[in-house]
Amino acid sequence: MEIQLLDLIFEINSLPTTWKNELNNIFCIDNGELNPKIKETQEYINNKKTLWKGKIEIYPPNEKIFKAFSYFDFTDTKVVILGQDPYHQPGQAMGLSFSVPKGVKIPPSLVNIFKELKKDSEIKNYKIPDHGDLTSWAKQGVLLLNAALTVQQSKASSHSKKWNFITDEIIKHISDNLQGVVFMLWGNYAKNKYPLIDAKKHLILTAIHPSPLSANRGWFGNGGFSKTNKYLTENGNTNIKW
């Protein structure tokens, strides 16, 4: 099996949107090389791949690590939905938080997300889809971002410490350089990112995580999706067709 080593600069520069420039500005130093902290993450992942000789998978594949940034330009960012890390079973992770490809069983957390949308009386005529692919959200300016962009197979949160600095910088960059973005922070892990965001410039919506382990403690009925659309329209933006 040929080992696909990770080249973060290549993956960033392969993006078809202006996020390519933004991520380069965040993560690259003057001579075009990666910031040492970012380089450390790349080396960690590549060392693991080399050590395992491809016998243990890392998800998602390299070309999908920055997939969330490939659907819209930086200035078109309307919403950030923050997940913890990618799904860690084969065929699930696709570079978009909470999303799985069509044909893959819908994960329980996403089932509860769909249920909340159905319960939200302000979201008219919502029909729960028969798949878990959230690409349609991404195409409307929803950044489906995981706090960790990779994960080891069958080992949740295995790379979280390696990506925290990177995704924190992305969140701060959005907060500092844009206006009127909705940040949807679900669960304690995501809520810890609250201090990175300027609440005077943006709307921050927090809620219990939609996981079945916690959803019955306040996820259902939080109304976050309709609150998001209300804020977007009040600030001169188009709403999201969930």
Side-chain angles (χ1 to χ4, degrees), residues 1-4 45 48-49 52-63 86-93 150-156 158-159:
M1 177 184 293
E2 182 179 353
I3 301 171
Q4 186 185 21
I45 292 171
K48 291 294 183 181
K49 287 186 173 186
W52 294 326
K53 296 182 173 62
K55 294 178 181 178
I56 297 178
E57 294 288 337
I58 291 175
Y59 302 129
N62 291 354
E63 67 273 12
Y87 295 119
H88 53 78
Q89 294 302 318
Q92 291 182 311
T150 60
V151 69
Q152 179 183 325
Q153 181 179 346
S154 302
K155 194 174 180 181
S158 50
H159 292 176

Side-chain angles (χ1 to χ4, degrees), residues 177-219:
N177 293 281
L178 296 178
Q179 182 85 29
V181 175
V182 182
F183 289 84
M184 305 180 81
L185 309 180
W186 302 336
N188 291 334
Y189 192 90
K191 290 176 186 178
N192 287 335
K193 307 297 183 182
Y194 197 113
L196 303 174
I197 306 162
D198 186 345
K200 295 179 180 179
K201 294 172 59 183
H202 308 282
L203 176 64
I204 307 173
L205 297 175
T206 62
I208 292 290
H209 195 278
S211 164
L213 297 175
S214 57
N216 289 324
R217 301 199 301 268
W219 166 255

Side-chain angles (χ1 to χ4, degrees), residues 11-12 14-20 23 63-74 77 94-96 135 138-144:
E11 298 304 337
I12 289 171
S14 296
L15 289 170
T17 67
T18 59
W19 273 104
K20 171 173 63 178
L23 295 179
E63 67 273 12
K64 293 184 179 179
I65 289 175
F66 293 106
K67 191 69 174 176
F69 304 95
S70 67
Y71 294 99
F72 56 89
D73 288 334
F74 174 70
T77 306
M94 57 183 294
L96 304 176
T135 300
K139 289 180 177 179
Q140 298 175 74
V142 179
L143 183 65
L144 294 161

Side-chain angles (χ1 to χ4, degrees), residues 38 47 50 52 75-76 91 100 109 122 127 133 146 195 202 227 230 242:
I38 314 302
N47 286 341
T50 303
W52 294 326
T75 54
D76 293 328
V100 293
S109 292
E122 298 300 316
K127 182 179 179 182
D133 186 346
N146 279 310
H202 308 282
K227 291 174 184 176
K230 181 180 179 182
W242 304 106

Side-chain angles (χ1 to χ4, degrees), residues 84-129:
Q84 186 164 341
D85 60 352
Y87 295 119
H88 53 78
Q89 294 302 318
Q92 291 182 311
M94 57 183 294
L96 304 176
S97 62
F98 295 100
S99 180
V100 293
K102 292 180 180 177
V104 174
K105 184 179 179 181
I106 303 175
S109 292
L110 185 52
V111 169
N112 285 337
I113 290 171
F114 290 155
K115 287 181 178 178
E116 169 58 18
L117 275 161
K118 186 67 174 178
K119 289 175 178 289
D120 193 327
S121 61
E122 298 300 316
I123 305 294
K124 304 299 183 183
N125 303 315
Y126 179 76
K127 182 179 179 182
I128 294 178

